Every structure is written in C-alpha cells, then in structure tokens.
Amino acid sequence: APCTACAASCCQRGAGSGAGGDELVILASSGLQDLEFLHKPMEAAVGHRIRFDYAGTVELADRIRNSGATAADFAWPASGFYLRLAAPNRVSASEKIMLSPVVFALKQPRAEELGWDKKPPSWGELARAVAHEDLALGMTSPVVSDLGLAALFSAGLATARGATTQPQLDLARLKQLYAGTRLLGGSARWLADAYLKQENRLDGMVNYEAVVLDLNAAGQIGTPLAAVHPRDGSVVADYPLMLVNPARKAEYARLAAYLRSPAVQQQIVDRTWRRPVVEGVKLPPQLAQKEPHRLSEPVQQSFVDGTLDAYQTQVRPPPHSYFVLDVSGSMAQEHRMDELQAALRLLCGSDQTTLAGRYARFLPREKVDFTTFDSHVLDHLAVDFAAAQGYEASRQRVEDFAAGLQPHGGTAIYDAVQSAYQQAIADRRKQPGYYPSIVLMTDGESSSGSSFEQFRTWYQALPDTAQDIPVFTILFGDGDLEEMKSLADLTGGRVF
C-alpha cells in the first residue's frame, strides 16, 4: 500500500542525523510521541538536551545499521528483536522500559457473541473467525510500523508449524487473518485515530493493549472495544532503550535508571496504559489481571526476512495504488520534479541496498495507475505487475513513463484526485479483493479547477462504501501544508 511505499521511499532520511556535542539524540519509535510529558524531566535527569527523532521500524533499523553512532546516541524501538537482528553489532546495552502486548480488539458485543469474553481464542481461531464471520479490521503494515511487525510475528509464530528455531509459516491461516483488512494504518496511534473516523465500517482492529485501553477511556468511541488476548500469546512490545553510541554510556545508565524508577513507571502506567517493568507500581483494574502469555521473539534473521517477504508477496490483500502526479510548472522549481522521478524509480526497485528500499518496491501482485495533471488531467498509465508480460517489463514501463514527465502549466489538484477516485470506485466494482489507495505527489498549491471545498462537498456525497479510500500526499516543496492535511483528515490518509 502507498502508506508503506511512500513512507519508505519519500521519508527515508539521510545517512545520519549528527549525534554528538551537548545534545543527545534518541532515534525512537513513532509510537513514543505520547511520552512527550517526560521530555524535560529526562533532560534534567541526564544533564543534557535531548532530541527525539522518530522513525518507523524498518527505517530505524536501516539508519542504525548504516550509520551507528552518527545516526543517534540511543535507539528506543517498541520491540528490539528487529533491530538486534538487522544491526547485531550496533547495540551495546539494552534495558526494557515498559510493556504492551499485541491484542485483537473487537467491539464488545461482538466479542461476547463469539464467547471470547469467557474463553479467549487462539490466533488460528481468530483467523478462522475473521474468514467465516467476515470481520472487517484495521491493521498496520509490518514494513513501516512496529505494531504491524509485532502483530505479524504474533500471528505467524503462534500458528507456525515445526520447531521454534525453524518454524514454518501457516500461510493459509495468515491469509485468512489479513483478508479482513479494511483499513491499513502506518502506526498504532494513526490506526486508532483512523478507526475512530471509520468505526461504523469496522468490527475491530489489531493494536497494542495500551492504545485500545486509551481509546476506551477517552470516551470518543461509540462501542467499547474488548482487548482480547489470544490464549497462545502474542509479541509484547517492551520498548527497550538501547545504547548505540558507547561514548554515552554514563548518560545512558542515568537515563535508563530514571525511566525505570517506580515514580516514573507509575506516570507511564497512569498516562499511557502501558505495563510497568518494575515492582511496586499500582495498576488500574484493566491491567490488574494476570499478565498475558508472551510469545518468544524471532531469533533468526532468515525467518524474519522470510515472514516479511511472505506478507508482501502472498499474505496481504493485493494493493491497487492510484498515483496522482503533479507535472505543473511549479514542479520545475528546487528539483521537485527530479525528486518525484527519483521516488518513482525507487518504487521500481532502484535501491536494494537498504531494508526500506527493498520493501518499498512495487509488488508482483500489485496494480498501479498513474495519472498526471497540470491545469487539467493529462495522461494515464495502468500497469498490472502480475500481467503476462512479466514483472520486469511492467517495471520498465513505469520507469520510462517517469523519465518522460515534464513540468508545465497550472495545478488542478482536486480535479485530478476526483478523477482517481472515480477510477478507483469503478475498478473496485469490477475487481473486488484489492486494497485501493491514492497517492498524491505534488508541491501542494492548487491554482486551477475545483477548490478543496468543492472537492469536500463532492467526496461527502459519495456512498459510505466509497469513502474508505485514503489519500496519502507526498508534499514536495512548501505548498499549502494545512490544506493537504485537511485532505488527509477528510479521506483517512496522511501527509508525508
């Protein structure tokens, strides 16, 4: 899906962020932004300014693997197994800070109807229920989200056959589970926010326990969610603080001790619903029950790689991506067109040296439509990567198309996005089973055709079943960021 490809291709940062000097840099999971209330106290505890740099799982591992201490002093992922396997020589020390297991969150009445409030199901039973009960779910992508990675390995390890050192995936079970995907988010919090907007279309989601409990407690949700703990266990995010720069060992020790102190652990429990890692912390009733069963994390890089490859090529619903490309005259400024073309080349697989580049490329089962626009909607190219001519020929068609883009004319963003919606809606009627999404690549300043308000009126008049196609905007330059955010909020997408 574009939220995978675009986050990897267009948001991947440079080789390093310049750790050093008086400032400490923490490369952290994007899910940790809810700990902002600890930022100043952490600085006081360690005696240095702290800068948080947030990234998805694969990008975080890429940057630490390739740049080490020049990327960050500390890493703070949700789960540490992926970083330890991808960059085994980069981590000098690690301390667990808090805990939150992956849960299957289902609307409370539905969970009671299935009897899961009394007897939790296994992951295999969950997968069968998704298929037989036609459950509509929110999920996250494992190639950009720590939650998605933890969820995939929870289901994968729990249903795998064979020894734990050489497990064999039960692809049929995984396909059943992921066939329920109706909403694909890029992070745990983003998924929760999107679920709130689409609650009437969904039965539940796979998310962290802490996020589900927070959603229930906030009172914004129409029907409370039951946080179902699969009885065969799940991967538990333990949010390890990891030392990447050995020269910061003393500061690391002070920071880890501060975060693991009972008073801070109590704040974390009270404000984020995550479980503590030390004794003596008072738990709310929702966390006071027996700690759920924890699955062992993967220990072999080959199994991790194989599972991610299987997800991309066989398990997930095949994506149909609609790229809406701005070729207006303003894209000639500041190398914007060069950057757009470079992004399309990366999606064609030009970068196989990084984990992000490897997982960003178009998939062999994917359908992709490209629409260009300036003052009007211009050219259109439809590519089926599973077509008889083969993957390589399809990839070359996209590269040739991208190479021929030339900027000129005005900018009719909303006419072009509306055209993509009309195409996506028509295609879904003809070819059910694909997961559609729209990617708008633009400098973000519409000057021709429909206005945003006119587009909003048109969009809100669509049938409810057509309003679940998100728009992900890749913004080049300094266009109208607020309007692009409004477009993302309206459609359930995101701005990169």
Side-chain angles (χ1 to χ4, degrees), residues 168-181:
Q168 293 180 307
L169 292 174
D170 187 337
L171 290 178
R173 284 283 174 265
L174 291 179
K175 286 178 183 177
Q176 283 185 319
L177 178 66
Y178 283 91
T181 305

Side-chain angles (χ1 to χ4, degrees), residues 393-417:
S394 297
R395 187 193 65 77
Q396 192 60 52
R397 285 183 70 200
V398 177
E399 285 207 344
D400 293 345
F401 181 77
L405 298 179
Q406 295 291 331
H408 49 76
T411 312
I413 288 176
Y414 300 107
D415 287 353
V417 172

Side-chain angles (χ1 to χ4, degrees), residues 171-221:
L171 290 178
R173 284 283 174 265
L174 291 179
K175 286 178 183 177
Q176 283 185 319
L177 178 66
Y178 283 91
T181 305
R182 299 292 181 273
L183 167 65
L184 190 64
S187 70
R189 177 49 58 186
W190 180 19
L191 178 61
D193 291 343
Y195 178 88
L196 275 176
K197 297 173 184 175
Q198 301 188 35
E199 184 184 355
N200 62 327
R201 302 190 192 111
L202 299 168
D203 296 296
M205 62 179 163
V206 178
N207 212 317
Y208 290 126
E209 175 190 58
V211 175
V212 176
L213 295 181
D214 184 62
L215 205 57
N216 283 341
Q220 298 172 289
I221 197 167

Side-chain angles (χ1 to χ4, degrees), residues 7 60 107 236 261 405:
L60 187 152
K107 288 178 176 175
V236 176
S261 66
L405 298 179

Side-chain angles (χ1 to χ4, degrees), residues 23-321:
E23 182 180 67
L24 296 174
V25 177
I26 301 178
L27 185 55
S29 161
S30 55
L32 289 172
Q33 293 179 60
D34 63 354
L35 292 182
E36 180 61 31
F37 66 93
L38 289 177
H39 192 162
K40 291 298 181 185
M42 287 168 63
E43 290 181 329
V46 80
H48 290 273
R49 291 194 310 275
I50 293 175
R51 174 162 61 87
F52 280 89
D53 195 354
Y54 296 104
T57 300
V58 174
E59 183 194 343
L60 187 152
D62 260 334
R63 292 170 64 186
I64 296 297
R65 184 178 71 163
N66 295 337
S67 303
T70 62
D73 297 297
F74 312 137
W76 199 357
S79 299
F81 72 88
Y82 189 79
L83 178 56
R84 281 191 291 267
L85 291 173
N89 301 316
R90 293 296 196 185
V91 177
S92 303
S94 179
E95 287 277 10
K96 298 173 185 177
I97 303 301
M98 52 201 171
L99 306 170
S100 194
V102 172
V103 298
F104 190 92
L106 195 63
K107 288 178 176 175
Q108 187 75 42
R110 201 82 168 93
E112 292 171 358
E113 181 185 312
L114 292 166
W116 293 350
D117 56 326
K118 295 181 175 64
K119 184 184 178 183
S122 67
W123 278 102
E125 290 165 352
L126 282 172
R128 284 192 291 273
V130 170
H132 297 149
E133 302 286 336
D134 195 27
L135 298 178
L137 303 174
M139 311 286 263
T140 50
S141 167
V143 300
V144 294
S145 161
D146 52 68
L147 166 64
L149 196 70
L152 176 63
F153 283 101
S154 294
L157 290 166
T159 59
R161 299 179 295 269
T164 55
T165 53
Q166 291 288 339
Q168 293 180 307
L169 292 174
D170 187 337
L171 290 178
R173 284 283 174 265
L174 291 179
K175 286 178 183 177
Q176 283 185 319
L177 178 66
Y178 283 91
T181 305
R182 299 292 181 273
L183 167 65
L184 190 64
S187 70
R189 177 49 58 186
W190 180 19
L191 178 61
D193 291 343
Y195 178 88
L196 275 176
K197 297 173 184 175
Q198 301 188 35
E199 184 184 355
N200 62 327
R201 302 190 192 111
L202 299 168
D203 296 296
M205 62 179 163
V206 178
N207 212 317
Y208 290 126
E209 175 190 58
V211 175
V212 176
L213 295 181
D214 184 62
L215 205 57
N216 283 341
Q220 298 172 289
I221 197 167
T223 304
L225 289 165
V228 177
H229 295 270
R231 69 172 182 270
D232 41 5
S234 63
V235 171
V236 176
D238 52 20
Y239 299 92
L241 184 68
M242 296 174 152
L243 176 61
V244 177
N245 181 1
R248 297 296 197 176
K249 186 176 181 180
E251 292 88 344
Y252 171 81
R254 289 199 298 272
L255 187 56
Y258 170 76
L259 291 170
R260 288 170 59 89
S261 66
V264 174
Q265 291 277 298
Q266 188 70 64
Q267 288 184 64
I268 289 172
V269 171
D270 292 344
R271 297 184 66 162
T272 75
W273 297 93
R274 296 186 183 95
R275 295 171 180 264
V277 292
V278 301
E279 300 293 330
V281 177
K282 184 179 178 181
L283 299 178
Q286 295 91 329
L287 296 177
Q289 72 272 23
K290 184 180 177 182
E291 193 161 316
H293 179 56
R294 179 173 188 158
L295 285 172
S296 299
E297 295 175 339
V299 295
Q300 291 190 334
Q301 184 70 44
S302 59
F303 178 71
V304 171
D305 291 343
T307 303
L308 285 170
D309 287 343
Y311 169 83
Q312 289 284 78
T313 59
Q314 300 177 67
V315 170
R316 59 170 295 178
H320 192 155
S321 310

